[in-house]
């Protein structure tokens, strides 16, 4: 593992009554498996249904592996000429489980005795597998499955033709699917992994805090030297995400990254949004 972590703290506004401080924390870690035990070309760290696994392979970071779409040499998805559905290929690497970089933006604004803190989390890169999304789509319960119902739909891809000389010719697909139910059933089939793998990037409002410190004039000469009242909330808003319907940080194996268990989600309990309060007293 090699990486960097940089923190920058700036104060855009600083007066006798108003103070605004911003802290930026940027981190990026690059992981590479150097070697495995003699005789091992790869090592499965975690596995699941539908051929999904998290594996260690020399020269690569920990990654998601599973059945991908069959593709032409140019990378186009191959379509079945009879059904108009995507063809499934063999097992392939579907992406890294770790993000390329992460950024935290922490703002604290104080106006007199009132203090407001806002923390944003940004994560870029990495891939996540979601069985929850796959199930919702396969059962027709996800909003996107409404699209093209009862209409002609031709998936993007190519048709492959085997020539007499052994070569293969590819042409733009023009075969419609029989129904969107067939399309989504094939797209989310347990024998296919790639259809349920997403970019794990996200932007979150991670934390919001508001506190008010009572003026010393209110406390007077009492034995209480300082008193503040506050409220705080965490995981309040998923601002942007490429994973539909779930929290992109959800994990079937819990929050730990140990053993490559992250970024694999199977009907996980939804992430909690928490709101609480606090009273701080100094004697």
């Amino acid at each position: 593992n090699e990486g960097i972590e940089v923190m920058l703290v700036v104060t855009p506004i600083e007066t006798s009554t108003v103070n605004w401080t911003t802290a930026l924390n940027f981190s990026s870690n690059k992981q590479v498996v150097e070697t495995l035990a003699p005789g091992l070309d790869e090592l499965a760290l975690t596995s699941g249904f539908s051929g999904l696994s998290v594996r260690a392979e020399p020269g690569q970071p920990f990654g998601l592996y599973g059945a991908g779409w069959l593709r032409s040499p140019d990378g186009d998805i191959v379509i079945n000429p009879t059904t108009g559905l995507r063809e499934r290929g063999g097992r392939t690497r579907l992406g890294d489980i770790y993000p390329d970089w992460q950024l935290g933006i922490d703002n604290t604004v104080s106006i007199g005795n009132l203090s407001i803190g806002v923390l944003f989390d940004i994560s870029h890169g990495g891939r996540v597998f979601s069985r929850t999304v796959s199930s919702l789509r396969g059962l027709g319960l996800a909003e996107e499955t409404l699209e093209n119902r009862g209409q002609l739909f031709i998936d993007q891809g190519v048709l492959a033709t085997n020539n007499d000389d052994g070569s293969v010719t590819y042409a733009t697909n023009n075969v419609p699917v029989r129904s969107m139910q067939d399309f989504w059933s094939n797209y989310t089939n347990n024998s296919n992994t790639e259809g349920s793998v997403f970019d794990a990037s996200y932007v979150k409002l991670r934390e919001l805090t508001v506190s008010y410190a009572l003026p010393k004039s209110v406390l007077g000469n009492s034995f209480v030297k300082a008193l503040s009242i506050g409220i705080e909330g965490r995981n309040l808003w998923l601002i942007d995400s490429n994973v539909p319907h779930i929290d992109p940080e959800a994990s079937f194996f819990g929050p730990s990254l140990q053993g490559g268990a992250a970024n694999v989600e199977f009907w996980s309990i939804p992430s909690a949004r928490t709101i609480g309060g606090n009273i701080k007293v100094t004697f």
Side-chain angles (χ1 to χ4, degrees):
N1 289 276
E2 293 183 353
I4 62 171
E5 182 171 4
V6 180
M7 174 173 280
L8 174 65
V9 180
V10 296
T11 304
I13 299 176
E14 186 175 20
T15 68
S16 59
T17 57
V18 179
N19 184 276
W20 171 21
T21 301
T22 299
L24 305 175
N25 185 280
F26 174 88
S27 63
S28 177
N29 181 68
K30 302 300 181 184
Q31 178 210 65
V32 176
V33 178
E34 294 182 352
T35 59
L36 295 176
L40 283 180
D41 296 326
E42 58 183 22
L43 176 66
L45 304 174
T46 300
S47 60
F49 306 113
S50 71
L52 168 73
S53 61
V54 177
R55 293 178 176 269
E57 181 182 2
Q60 297 278 6
F62 292 168
L64 287 175
Y65 289 74
W69 303 121
L70 182 64
R71 296 179 183 272
S72 70
D74 293 332
D76 297 313
I77 296 174
V78 176
I79 304 297
N80 185 292
T82 302
T83 64
L85 301 175
R86 300 186 177 195
E87 295 274 24
R88 181 174 64 89
R91 195 187 75 182
T92 186
R93 181 183 178 89
L94 298 170
D96 303 344
I97 65 171
Y98 296 112
D100 298 327
W101 54 264
Q102 293 179 298
L103 176 65
I105 306 174
D106 190 6
N107 287 279
T108 302
V109 178
S110 298
I111 305 173
N113 293 331
L114 178 67
S115 179
I116 302 173
V118 183
L119 174 61
F120 295 95
D121 267 356
I122 303 172
S123 182
H124 178 78
R127 306 286 281 175
V128 59
F129 172 89
S130 174
R131 176 54 67 195
T132 298
V133 176
S134 174
S135 298
L136 290 172
R137 289 176 166 181
L139 295 171
L141 300 177
E143 182 181 10
E144 57 268 26
T145 62
L146 291 170
E147 189 174 355
N148 296 311
R149 286 192 188 183
Q151 300 178 19
L152 180 69
F153 174 69
I154 298 176
D155 197 7
Q156 291 185 350
V158 294
L159 301 174
T161 302
N162 295 316
N163 302 316
D164 294 337
D165 60 1
S167 63
V168 181
T169 302
Y170 297 94
T172 302
N173 175 43
N174 59 1
V175 179
V177 301
R178 296 172 181 173
S179 70
M180 292 310 297
Q181 181 175 349
D182 288 348
F183 172 82
W184 287 110
S185 295
N186 178 69
Y187 198 94
T188 61
N189 192 284
N190 284 337
S191 63
N192 166 58
T193 309
E194 186 175 355
S196 302
V197 173
F198 305 91
D199 177 6
S201 303
Y202 64 82
V203 179
K204 283 187 172 185
L205 172 58
R206 179 70 71 184
E207 186 174 83
L208 175 64
T209 61
V210 179
S211 64
Y212 180 77
L214 266 67
K216 292 183 179 180
S217 58
V218 176
L219 300 175
N221 296 323
S222 67
F223 62 93
V224 177
K225 303 302 181 183
L227 189 152
S228 64
I229 302 173
I231 58 173
E232 57 188 27
R234 286 188 59 83
N235 294 325
L236 297 178
W237 183 19
L238 179 58
I239 300 172
D240 186 47
S241 171
N242 295 309
V243 187
H245 314 303
I246 69 163
D247 184 343
E249 291 186 290
S251 173
F252 177 71
F253 299 96
S256 173
L257 299 182
Q258 182 178 2
N263 292 36
V264 177
E265 188 275 331
F266 280 81
W267 306 297
S268 303
I269 296 174
S271 300
R273 178 185 294 116
T274 59
I275 299 175
N278 59 76
I279 300 176
K280 299 179 181 179
V281 182
T282 302
F283 300 101

